[in-house]
Amino acid sequence: MRVIIHRDAEAATRAVSAFFAEQLAAKPASVLGLATGGTMEGVYAELIELYRAGKMSFAKARSFNLDEYLGLPADHPQTYRHYMDERLFRHVDFPPNATHLPDGTSADPEKAAEDYEALIARYGPIDLQLLGLGANGHIGFNEPSSSLGSRTRIKTLTHATIEANGRFFEDGEWQPHQALTMGIATILDARSVLVLAFGAGKAEAVAQVVEGPISARWPGTALQMHRHATLVLDEAAASDLTMRDYYQWVQANDG
Ligand code: F6R
């Protein structure tokens, strides 16, 4: 696993956006795996800037998001479809119908999960999968105890995740406790994976993902089995790594 440590979240965000621009320059018809959450907000703002400056285009690309809440109406501002429309899709030039999320409004969510997995298989593999990391080590909504061989399915969120995401909902508002999420095996099928984690609240999860034993207790540790996984961190998120000097030495010598 490649570990890249930046001084702060802004520098890390710029580096990740540059990876995206390079990916699309090398392969304009890339299949992109996208994530939501606070960590990604800066990345999408930066991608919009690059697009407006004529430095990247999504005109031939396709995207698959990791997850979507179950139980929110389609027009709810906290659906991940809404998040993606507002923070990226409506500002750039993806072709019509080329941006996919699991259907969290389906009357048959199990079938919606199977359909999503089939759609990824049809257009995939995903060339570049962007991932955030939960403080509990989740990737997508694969919470601790998720099967490392899992595929897209319904997942019940932990109390910790519901609480962490409560900041996006109004006080006292009903909050979903289930989601459709790509599975860990779905994520591992991507050609390359880019994980972003910022802040001291992610430091323990980062240390587990990079240096801990592979375990369903910390689902992100499954990425140790991926041949092209890169972790982009700020100083605070890197603070529990015991081999930090080595990663920085590699970073300085191998770019
Ligand atoms: C979002 C997702 C989650 C988040 C993670 C970190 O699509 O799948 O795994 O990436 O919960 O969220 P933030 O960035 O809000 O800390």
Side-chain angles (χ1 to χ4, degrees), residues 93-128:
D93 61 344
F94 275 103
N97 305 319
T99 63
H100 307 282
L101 285 92
D103 180 3
T105 63
S106 172
D108 186 350
E110 279 175 21
K111 167 131 190 343
E114 276 171 31
D115 290 348
Y116 198 63
E117 191 73 30
L119 203 64
I120 297 172
R122 176 169 160 207
Y123 290 110
I126 289 171
D127 291 296
L128 178 60

PDB file of all heavy atoms in Angstrom, residues 93-128:
ATOM      1  N   ASP A  93     -19.159  17.828 -17.188  1.00  0.00           N
ATOM      2  CA  ASP A  93     -19.743  17.394 -18.462  1.00  0.00           C
ATOM      3  C   ASP A  93     -19.903  15.886 -18.627  1.00  0.00           C
ATOM      4  O   ASP A  93     -19.671  15.351 -19.714  1.00  0.00           O
ATOM      5  CB  ASP A  93     -18.910  17.959 -19.621  1.00  0.00           C
ATOM      6  CG  ASP A  93     -17.463  17.468 -19.591  1.00  0.00           C
ATOM      7  OD1 ASP A  93     -17.031  16.961 -18.539  1.00  0.00           O
ATOM      8  OD2 ASP A  93     -16.773  17.589 -20.617  1.00  0.00           O
ATOM      9  N   PHE A  94     -20.280  15.190 -17.556  1.00  0.00           N
ATOM     10  CA  PHE A  94     -20.599  13.763 -17.727  1.00  0.00           C
ATOM     11  C   PHE A  94     -21.701  13.624 -18.781  1.00  0.00           C
ATOM     12  O   PHE A  94     -22.634  14.447 -18.809  1.00  0.00           O
ATOM     13  CB  PHE A  94     -21.138  13.163 -16.428  1.00  0.00           C
ATOM     14  CG  PHE A  94     -20.087  12.690 -15.462  1.00  0.00           C
ATOM     15  CD1 PHE A  94     -19.763  13.441 -14.344  1.00  0.00           C
ATOM     16  CD2 PHE A  94     -19.424  11.482 -15.674  1.00  0.00           C
ATOM     17  CE1 PHE A  94     -18.794  12.998 -13.440  1.00  0.00           C
ATOM     18  CE2 PHE A  94     -18.465  11.031 -14.774  1.00  0.00           C
ATOM     19  CZ  PHE A  94     -18.156  11.792 -13.660  1.00  0.00           C
ATOM     20  N   PRO A  95     -21.658  12.574 -19.610  1.00  0.00           N
ATOM     21  CA  PRO A  95     -22.780  12.362 -20.543  1.00  0.00           C
ATOM     22  C   PRO A  95     -24.053  12.021 -19.761  1.00  0.00           C
ATOM     23  O   PRO A  95     -23.976  11.549 -18.623  1.00  0.00           O
ATOM     24  CB  PRO A  95     -22.344  11.141 -21.372  1.00  0.00           C
ATOM     25  CG  PRO A  95     -20.934  10.860 -21.010  1.00  0.00           C
ATOM     26  CD  PRO A  95     -20.622  11.546 -19.715  1.00  0.00           C
ATOM     27  N   PRO A  96     -25.231  12.246 -20.374  1.00  0.00           N
ATOM     28  CA  PRO A  96     -26.478  11.885 -19.697  1.00  0.00           C
ATOM     29  C   PRO A  96     -26.483  10.398 -19.341  1.00  0.00           C
ATOM     30  O   PRO A  96     -25.964   9.586 -20.106  1.00  0.00           O
ATOM     31  CB  PRO A  96     -27.566  12.191 -20.743  1.00  0.00           C
ATOM     32  CG  PRO A  96     -26.901  12.912 -21.860  1.00  0.00           C
ATOM     33  CD  PRO A  96     -25.420  12.779 -21.721  1.00  0.00           C
ATOM     34  N   ASN A  97     -27.044  10.076 -18.206  1.00  0.00           N
ATOM     35  CA  ASN A  97     -27.195   8.683 -17.755  1.00  0.00           C
ATOM     36  C   ASN A  97     -25.876   7.940 -17.524  1.00  0.00           C
ATOM     37  O   ASN A  97     -25.849   6.716 -17.527  1.00  0.00           O
ATOM     38  CB  ASN A  97     -28.049   7.867 -18.740  1.00  0.00           C
ATOM     39  CG  ASN A  97     -29.381   8.529 -18.973  1.00  0.00           C
ATOM     40  OD1 ASN A  97     -29.990   9.035 -18.032  1.00  0.00           O
ATOM     41  ND2 ASN A  97     -29.811   8.577 -20.219  1.00  0.00           N
ATOM     42  N   ALA A  98     -24.786   8.675 -17.340  1.00  0.00           N
ATOM     43  CA  ALA A  98     -23.497   8.008 -17.133  1.00  0.00           C
ATOM     44  C   ALA A  98     -23.060   8.048 -15.672  1.00  0.00           C
ATOM     45  O   ALA A  98     -21.962   7.613 -15.338  1.00  0.00           O
ATOM     46  CB  ALA A  98     -22.429   8.647 -18.008  1.00  0.00           C
ATOM     47  N   THR A  99     -23.905   8.596 -14.806  1.00  0.00           N
ATOM     48  CA  THR A  99     -23.548   8.650 -13.384  1.00  0.00           C
ATOM     49  C   THR A  99     -24.516   7.746 -12.619  1.00  0.00           C
ATOM     50  O   THR A  99     -25.721   7.921 -12.678  1.00  0.00           O
ATOM     51  CB  THR A  99     -23.625  10.087 -12.844  1.00  0.00           C
ATOM     52  OG1 THR A  99     -24.973  10.570 -12.942  1.00  0.00           O
ATOM     53  CG2 THR A  99     -22.688  11.018 -13.600  1.00  0.00           C
ATOM     54  N   HIS A 100     -23.960   6.775 -11.940  1.00  0.00           N
ATOM     55  CA  HIS A 100     -24.800   5.755 -11.297  1.00  0.00           C
ATOM     56  C   HIS A 100     -24.629   5.758  -9.778  1.00  0.00           C
ATOM     57  O   HIS A 100     -23.516   5.933  -9.273  1.00  0.00           O
ATOM     58  CB  HIS A 100     -24.421   4.369 -11.809  1.00  0.00           C
ATOM     59  CG  HIS A 100     -24.420   4.260 -13.297  1.00  0.00           C
ATOM     60  ND1 HIS A 100     -25.571   4.127 -14.034  1.00  0.00           N
ATOM     61  CD2 HIS A 100     -23.401   4.303 -14.192  1.00  0.00           C
ATOM     62  CE1 HIS A 100     -25.260   4.071 -15.317  1.00  0.00           C
ATOM     63  NE2 HIS A 100     -23.957   4.182 -15.448  1.00  0.00           N
ATOM     64  N   LEU A 101     -25.753   5.568  -9.099  1.00  0.00           N
ATOM     65  CA  LEU A 101     -25.740   5.297  -7.655  1.00  0.00           C
ATOM     66  C   LEU A 101     -26.709   4.152  -7.420  1.00  0.00           C
ATOM     67  O   LEU A 101     -27.654   3.965  -8.213  1.00  0.00           O
ATOM     68  CB  LEU A 101     -26.221   6.495  -6.834  1.00  0.00           C
ATOM     69  CG  LEU A 101     -25.262   7.673  -6.673  1.00  0.00           C
ATOM     70  CD1 LEU A 101     -25.477   8.704  -7.751  1.00  0.00           C
ATOM     71  CD2 LEU A 101     -25.443   8.322  -5.293  1.00  0.00           C
ATOM     72  N   PRO A 102     -26.535   3.388  -6.341  1.00  0.00           N
ATOM     73  CA  PRO A 102     -27.548   2.379  -6.029  1.00  0.00           C
ATOM     74  C   PRO A 102     -28.904   3.065  -5.833  1.00  0.00           C
ATOM     75  O   PRO A 102     -28.953   4.219  -5.398  1.00  0.00           O
ATOM     76  CB  PRO A 102     -27.064   1.771  -4.705  1.00  0.00           C
ATOM     77  CG  PRO A 102     -25.634   2.167  -4.573  1.00  0.00           C
ATOM     78  CD  PRO A 102     -25.462   3.447  -5.336  1.00  0.00           C
ATOM     79  N   ASP A 103     -29.986   2.349  -6.167  1.00  0.00           N
ATOM     80  CA  ASP A 103     -31.329   2.933  -6.082  1.00  0.00           C
ATOM     81  C   ASP A 103     -31.895   2.751  -4.670  1.00  0.00           C
ATOM     82  O   ASP A 103     -32.487   1.727  -4.347  1.00  0.00           O
ATOM     83  CB  ASP A 103     -32.239   2.272  -7.125  1.00  0.00           C
ATOM     84  CG  ASP A 103     -33.651   2.846  -7.079  1.00  0.00           C
ATOM     85  OD1 ASP A 103     -33.893   3.791  -6.284  1.00  0.00           O
ATOM     86  OD2 ASP A 103     -34.504   2.344  -7.834  1.00  0.00           O
ATOM     87  N   GLY A 104     -31.716   3.784  -3.856  1.00  0.00           N
ATOM     88  CA  GLY A 104     -32.169   3.730  -2.468  1.00  0.00           C
ATOM     89  C   GLY A 104     -33.660   3.898  -2.297  1.00  0.00           C
ATOM     90  O   GLY A 104     -34.170   3.810  -1.178  1.00  0.00           O
ATOM     91  N   THR A 105     -34.379   4.141  -3.384  1.00  0.00           N
ATOM     92  CA  THR A 105     -35.838   4.303  -3.287  1.00  0.00           C
ATOM     93  C   THR A 105     -36.571   3.046  -3.773  1.00  0.00           C
ATOM     94  O   THR A 105     -37.796   3.011  -3.777  1.00  0.00           O
ATOM     95  CB  THR A 105     -36.332   5.500  -4.138  1.00  0.00           C
ATOM     96  OG1 THR A 105     -36.045   5.217  -5.515  1.00  0.00           O
ATOM     97  CG2 THR A 105     -35.651   6.792  -3.736  1.00  0.00           C
ATOM     98  N   SER A 106     -35.829   2.030  -4.181  1.00  0.00           N
ATOM     99  CA  SER A 106     -36.456   0.839  -4.765  1.00  0.00           C
ATOM    100  C   SER A 106     -37.375   0.139  -3.753  1.00  0.00           C
ATOM    101  O   SER A 106     -37.049   0.034  -2.569  1.00  0.00           O
ATOM    102  CB  SER A 106     -35.367  -0.138  -5.208  1.00  0.00           C
ATOM    103  OG  SER A 106     -35.942  -1.361  -5.592  1.00  0.00           O
ATOM    104  N   ALA A 107     -38.497  -0.381  -4.263  1.00  0.00           N
ATOM    105  CA  ALA A 107     -39.401  -1.168  -3.402  1.00  0.00           C
ATOM    106  C   ALA A 107     -38.769  -2.528  -3.111  1.00  0.00           C
ATOM    107  O   ALA A 107     -39.177  -3.223  -2.181  1.00  0.00           O
ATOM    108  CB  ALA A 107     -40.740  -1.349  -4.112  1.00  0.00           C
ATOM    109  N   ASP A 108     -37.771  -2.895  -3.910  1.00  0.00           N
ATOM    110  CA  ASP A 108     -37.091  -4.181  -3.725  1.00  0.00           C
ATOM    111  C   ASP A 108     -35.577  -3.921  -3.656  1.00  0.00           C
ATOM    112  O   ASP A 108     -34.839  -4.118  -4.629  1.00  0.00           O
ATOM    113  CB  ASP A 108     -37.441  -5.107  -4.909  1.00  0.00           C
ATOM    114  CG  ASP A 108     -36.892  -6.512  -4.722  1.00  0.00           C
ATOM    115  OD1 ASP A 108     -36.078  -6.717  -3.784  1.00  0.00           O
ATOM    116  OD2 ASP A 108     -37.270  -7.385  -5.511  1.00  0.00           O
ATOM    117  N   PRO A 109     -35.102  -3.466  -2.490  1.00  0.00           N
ATOM    118  CA  PRO A 109     -33.691  -3.069  -2.396  1.00  0.00           C
ATOM    119  C   PRO A 109     -32.705  -4.212  -2.642  1.00  0.00           C
ATOM    120  O   PRO A 109     -31.600  -3.974  -3.125  1.00  0.00           O
ATOM    121  CB  PRO A 109     -33.554  -2.512  -0.974  1.00  0.00           C
ATOM    122  CG  PRO A 109     -34.830  -2.771  -0.279  1.00  0.00           C
ATOM    123  CD  PRO A 109     -35.861  -3.169  -1.273  1.00  0.00           C
ATOM    124  N   GLU A 110     -33.110  -5.449  -2.327  1.00  0.00           N
ATOM    125  CA  GLU A 110     -32.187  -6.566  -2.588  1.00  0.00           C
ATOM    126  C   GLU A 110     -31.936  -6.703  -4.083  1.00  0.00           C
ATOM    127  O   GLU A 110     -30.814  -6.922  -4.536  1.00  0.00           O
ATOM    128  CB  GLU A 110     -32.747  -7.872  -2.020  1.00  0.00           C
ATOM    129  CG  GLU A 110     -32.470  -7.954  -0.530  1.00  0.00           C
ATOM    130  CD  GLU A 110     -33.085  -9.168   0.144  1.00  0.00           C
ATOM    131  OE1 GLU A 110     -33.382 -10.153  -0.570  1.00  0.00           O
ATOM    132  OE2 GLU A 110     -33.271  -9.101   1.361  1.00  0.00           O
ATOM    133  N   LYS A 111     -33.018  -6.537  -4.846  1.00  0.00           N
ATOM    134  CA  LYS A 111     -32.881  -6.607  -6.309  1.00  0.00           C
ATOM    135  C   LYS A 111     -32.084  -5.396  -6.808  1.00  0.00           C
ATOM    136  O   LYS A 111     -31.250  -5.524  -7.705  1.00  0.00           O
ATOM    137  CB  LYS A 111     -34.277  -6.667  -6.941  1.00  0.00           C
ATOM    138  CG  LYS A 111     -34.302  -6.439  -8.427  1.00  0.00           C
ATOM    139  CD  LYS A 111     -35.105  -7.491  -9.139  1.00  0.00           C
ATOM    140  CE  LYS A 111     -35.005  -7.494 -10.655  1.00  0.00           C
ATOM    141  NZ  LYS A 111     -34.481  -6.325 -11.295  1.00  0.00           N
ATOM    142  N   ALA A 112     -32.339  -4.238  -6.203  1.00  0.00           N
ATOM    143  CA  ALA A 112     -31.597  -3.035  -6.605  1.00  0.00           C
ATOM    144  C   ALA A 112     -30.093  -3.246  -6.396  1.00  0.00           C
ATOM    145  O   ALA A 112     -29.269  -2.812  -7.205  1.00  0.00           O
ATOM    146  CB  ALA A 112     -32.086  -1.828  -5.810  1.00  0.00           C
ATOM    147  N   ALA A 113     -29.739  -3.933  -5.312  1.00  0.00           N
ATOM    148  CA  ALA A 113     -28.320  -4.215  -5.034  1.00  0.00           C
ATOM    149  C   ALA A 113     -27.752  -5.147  -6.106  1.00  0.00           C
ATOM    150  O   ALA A 113     -26.657  -4.905  -6.637  1.00  0.00           O
ATOM    151  CB  ALA A 113     -28.179  -4.841  -3.652  1.00  0.00           C
ATOM    152  N   GLU A 114     -28.508  -6.188  -6.423  1.00  0.00           N
ATOM    153  CA  GLU A 114     -28.040  -7.126  -7.464  1.00  0.00           C
ATOM    154  C   GLU A 114     -27.901  -6.422  -8.805  1.00  0.00           C
ATOM    155  O   GLU A 114     -26.940  -6.633  -9.542  1.00  0.00           O
ATOM    156  CB  GLU A 114     -29.033  -8.284  -7.623  1.00  0.00           C
ATOM    157  CG  GLU A 114     -28.814  -9.395  -6.623  1.00  0.00           C
ATOM    158  CD  GLU A 114     -29.940 -10.419  -6.659  1.00  0.00           C
ATOM    159  OE1 GLU A 114     -30.524 -10.634  -7.746  1.00  0.00           O
ATOM    160  OE2 GLU A 114     -30.246 -10.973  -5.588  1.00  0.00           O
ATOM    161  N   ASP A 115     -28.884  -5.569  -9.121  1.00  0.00           N
ATOM    162  CA  ASP A 115     -28.848  -4.841 -10.394  1.00  0.00           C
ATOM    163  C   ASP A 115     -27.619  -3.931 -10.459  1.00  0.00           C
ATOM    164  O   ASP A 115     -26.993  -3.792 -11.504  1.00  0.00           O
ATOM    165  CB  ASP A 115     -30.108  -3.973 -10.573  1.00  0.00           C
ATOM    166  CG  ASP A 115     -31.347  -4.816 -10.798  1.00  0.00           C
ATOM    167  OD1 ASP A 115     -31.206  -6.039 -11.033  1.00  0.00           O
ATOM    168  OD2 ASP A 115     -32.463  -4.251 -10.727  1.00  0.00           O
ATOM    169  N   TYR A 116     -27.296  -3.308  -9.327  1.00  0.00           N
ATOM    170  CA  TYR A 116     -26.154  -2.390  -9.297  1.00  0.00           C
ATOM    171  C   TYR A 116     -24.857  -3.155  -9.531  1.00  0.00           C
ATOM    172  O   TYR A 116     -23.996  -2.737 -10.306  1.00  0.00           O
ATOM    173  CB  TYR A 116     -26.118  -1.656  -7.952  1.00  0.00           C
ATOM    174  CG  TYR A 116     -25.267  -0.398  -7.967  1.00  0.00           C
ATOM    175  CD1 TYR A 116     -25.609   0.671  -8.786  1.00  0.00           C
ATOM    176  CD2 TYR A 116     -24.138  -0.283  -7.176  1.00  0.00           C
ATOM    177  CE1 TYR A 116     -24.838   1.840  -8.812  1.00  0.00           C
ATOM    178  CE2 TYR A 116     -23.365   0.872  -7.187  1.00  0.00           C
ATOM    179  CZ  TYR A 116     -23.725   1.932  -8.007  1.00  0.00           C
ATOM    180  OH  TYR A 116     -22.958   3.085  -8.024  1.00  0.00           O
ATOM    181  N   GLU A 117     -24.738  -4.271  -8.866  1.00  0.00           N
ATOM    182  CA  GLU A 117     -23.540  -5.118  -9.042  1.00  0.00           C
ATOM    183  C   GLU A 117     -23.415  -5.548 -10.507  1.00  0.00           C
ATOM    184  O   GLU A 117     -22.320  -5.541 -11.082  1.00  0.00           O
ATOM    185  CB  GLU A 117     -23.672  -6.328  -8.100  1.00  0.00           C
ATOM    186  CG  GLU A 117     -22.438  -7.160  -7.945  1.00  0.00           C
ATOM    187  CD  GLU A 117     -21.313  -6.525  -7.116  1.00  0.00           C
ATOM    188  OE1 GLU A 117     -21.570  -5.733  -6.201  1.00  0.00           O
ATOM    189  OE2 GLU A 117     -20.149  -6.828  -7.435  1.00  0.00           O
ATOM    190  N   ALA A 118     -24.555  -5.888 -11.117  1.00  0.00           N
ATOM    191  CA  ALA A 118     -24.549  -6.331 -12.525  1.00  0.00           C
ATOM    192  C   ALA A 118     -24.146  -5.169 -13.451  1.00  0.00           C
ATOM    193  O   ALA A 118     -23.435  -5.374 -14.440  1.00  0.00           O
ATOM    194  CB  ALA A 118     -25.917  -6.876 -12.908  1.00  0.00           C
ATOM    195  N   LEU A 119     -24.598  -3.975 -13.109  1.00  0.00           N
ATOM    196  CA  LEU A 119     -24.266  -2.801 -13.933  1.00  0.00           C
ATOM    197  C   LEU A 119     -22.759  -2.496 -13.860  1.00  0.00           C
ATOM    198  O   LEU A 119     -22.126  -2.166 -14.868  1.00  0.00           O
ATOM    199  CB  LEU A 119     -25.065  -1.598 -13.435  1.00  0.00           C
ATOM    200  CG  LEU A 119     -25.302  -0.462 -14.415  1.00  0.00           C
ATOM    201  CD1 LEU A 119     -26.150  -0.916 -15.594  1.00  0.00           C
ATOM    202  CD2 LEU A 119     -25.998   0.705 -13.701  1.00  0.00           C
ATOM    203  N   ILE A 120     -22.198  -2.643 -12.665  1.00  0.00           N
ATOM    204  CA  ILE A 120     -20.745  -2.438 -12.518  1.00  0.00           C
ATOM    205  C   ILE A 120     -20.008  -3.503 -13.328  1.00  0.00           C
ATOM    206  O   ILE A 120     -19.034  -3.205 -14.026  1.00  0.00           O
ATOM    207  CB  ILE A 120     -20.320  -2.483 -11.027  1.00  0.00           C
ATOM    208  CG1 ILE A 120     -20.976  -1.344 -10.253  1.00  0.00           C
ATOM    209  CG2 ILE A 120     -18.796  -2.403 -10.906  1.00  0.00           C
ATOM    210  CD1 ILE A 120     -20.783  -1.417  -8.742  1.00  0.00           C
ATOM    211  N   ALA A 121     -20.490  -4.737 -13.262  1.00  0.00           N
ATOM    212  CA  ALA A 121     -19.841  -5.816 -14.027  1.00  0.00           C
ATOM    213  C   ALA A 121     -19.934  -5.524 -15.525  1.00  0.00           C
ATOM    214  O   ALA A 121     -18.995  -5.789 -16.280  1.00  0.00           O
ATOM    215  CB  ALA A 121     -20.488  -7.155 -13.697  1.00  0.00           C
ATOM    216  N   ARG A 122     -21.044  -4.928 -15.949  1.00  0.00           N
ATOM    217  CA  ARG A 122     -21.234  -4.647 -17.377  1.00  0.00           C
ATOM    218  C   ARG A 122     -20.275  -3.562 -17.881  1.00  0.00           C
ATOM    219  O   ARG A 122     -19.686  -3.691 -18.942  1.00  0.00           O
ATOM    220  CB  ARG A 122     -22.688  -4.217 -17.596  1.00  0.00           C
ATOM    221  CG  ARG A 122     -22.981  -3.810 -19.016  1.00  0.00           C
ATOM    222  CD  ARG A 122     -24.490  -3.663 -19.222  1.00  0.00           C
ATOM    223  NE  ARG A 122     -24.739  -2.848 -20.380  1.00  0.00           N
ATOM    224  CZ  ARG A 122     -25.825  -2.102 -20.562  1.00  0.00           C
ATOM    225  NH1 ARG A 122     -26.752  -2.069 -19.626  1.00  0.00           N
ATOM    226  NH2 ARG A 122     -25.970  -1.405 -21.646  1.00  0.00           N
ATOM    227  N   TYR A 123     -20.129  -2.500 -17.116  1.00  0.00           N
ATOM    228  CA  TYR A 123     -19.298  -1.379 -17.572  1.00  0.00           C
ATOM    229  C   TYR A 123     -17.882  -1.392 -16.989  1.00  0.00           C
ATOM    230  O   TYR A 123     -17.026  -0.655 -17.453  1.00  0.00           O
ATOM    231  CB  TYR A 123     -19.950  -0.049 -17.216  1.00  0.00           C
ATOM    232  CG  TYR A 123     -21.182   0.248 -18.019  1.00  0.00           C
ATOM    233  CD1 TYR A 123     -22.445   0.225 -17.436  1.00  0.00           C
ATOM    234  CD2 TYR A 123     -21.074   0.541 -19.375  1.00  0.00           C
ATOM    235  CE1 TYR A 123     -23.587   0.506 -18.175  1.00  0.00           C
ATOM    236  CE2 TYR A 123     -22.205   0.810 -20.129  1.00  0.00           C
ATOM    237  CZ  TYR A 123     -23.454   0.799 -19.519  1.00  0.00           C
ATOM    238  OH  TYR A 123     -24.563   1.065 -20.261  1.00  0.00           O
ATOM    239  N   GLY A 124     -17.675  -2.191 -15.953  1.00  0.00           N
ATOM    240  CA  GLY A 124     -16.405  -2.173 -15.241  1.00  0.00           C
ATOM    241  C   GLY A 124     -15.313  -2.915 -15.974  1.00  0.00           C
ATOM    242  O   GLY A 124     -15.497  -3.284 -17.137  1.00  0.00           O
ATOM    243  N   PRO A 125     -14.166  -3.153 -15.341  1.00  0.00           N
ATOM    244  CA  PRO A 125     -13.931  -2.787 -13.957  1.00  0.00           C
ATOM    245  C   PRO A 125     -13.760  -1.272 -13.777  1.00  0.00           C
ATOM    246  O   PRO A 125     -13.422  -0.569 -14.718  1.00  0.00           O
ATOM    247  CB  PRO A 125     -12.618  -3.507 -13.615  1.00  0.00           C
ATOM    248  CG  PRO A 125     -11.934  -3.701 -14.917  1.00  0.00           C
ATOM    249  CD  PRO A 125     -13.014  -3.842 -15.939  1.00  0.00           C
ATOM    250  N   ILE A 126     -14.019  -0.848 -12.570  1.00  0.00           N
ATOM    251  CA  ILE A 126     -13.801   0.557 -12.217  1.00  0.00           C
ATOM    252  C   ILE A 126     -12.292   0.826 -12.314  1.00  0.00           C
ATOM    253  O   ILE A 126     -11.483   0.045 -11.812  1.00  0.00           O
ATOM    254  CB  ILE A 126     -14.371   0.820 -10.805  1.00  0.00           C
ATOM    255  CG1 ILE A 126     -15.910   0.783 -10.881  1.00  0.00           C
ATOM    256  CG2 ILE A 126     -13.850   2.131 -10.226  1.00  0.00           C
ATOM    257  CD1 ILE A 126     -16.620   0.816  -9.554  1.00  0.00           C
ATOM    258  N   ASP A 127     -11.937   1.888 -13.003  1.00  0.00           N
ATOM    259  CA  ASP A 127     -10.515   2.198 -13.193  1.00  0.00           C
ATOM    260  C   ASP A 127      -9.902   2.820 -11.947  1.00  0.00           C
ATOM    261  O   ASP A 127      -8.786   2.478 -11.564  1.00  0.00           O
ATOM    262  CB  ASP A 127     -10.347   3.170 -14.369  1.00  0.00           C
ATOM    263  CG  ASP A 127     -10.669   2.506 -15.687  1.00  0.00           C
ATOM    264  OD1 ASP A 127      -9.957   1.562 -16.056  1.00  0.00           O
ATOM    265  OD2 ASP A 127     -11.655   2.906 -16.333  1.00  0.00           O
ATOM    266  N   LEU A 128     -10.624   3.762 -11.363  1.00  0.00           N
ATOM    267  CA  LEU A 128     -10.098   4.471 -10.191  1.00  0.00           C
ATOM    268  C   LEU A 128     -11.222   4.637  -9.185  1.00  0.00           C
ATOM    269  O   LEU A 128     -12.232   5.289  -9.482  1.00  0.00           O
ATOM    270  CB  LEU A 128      -9.556   5.846 -10.614  1.00  0.00           C
ATOM    271  CG  LEU A 128      -9.020   6.751  -9.516  1.00  0.00           C
ATOM    272  CD1 LEU A 128      -7.859   6.094  -8.773  1.00  0.00           C
ATOM    273  CD2 LEU A 128      -8.542   8.084 -10.088  1.00  0.00           C
TER     274      LEU A 128
END
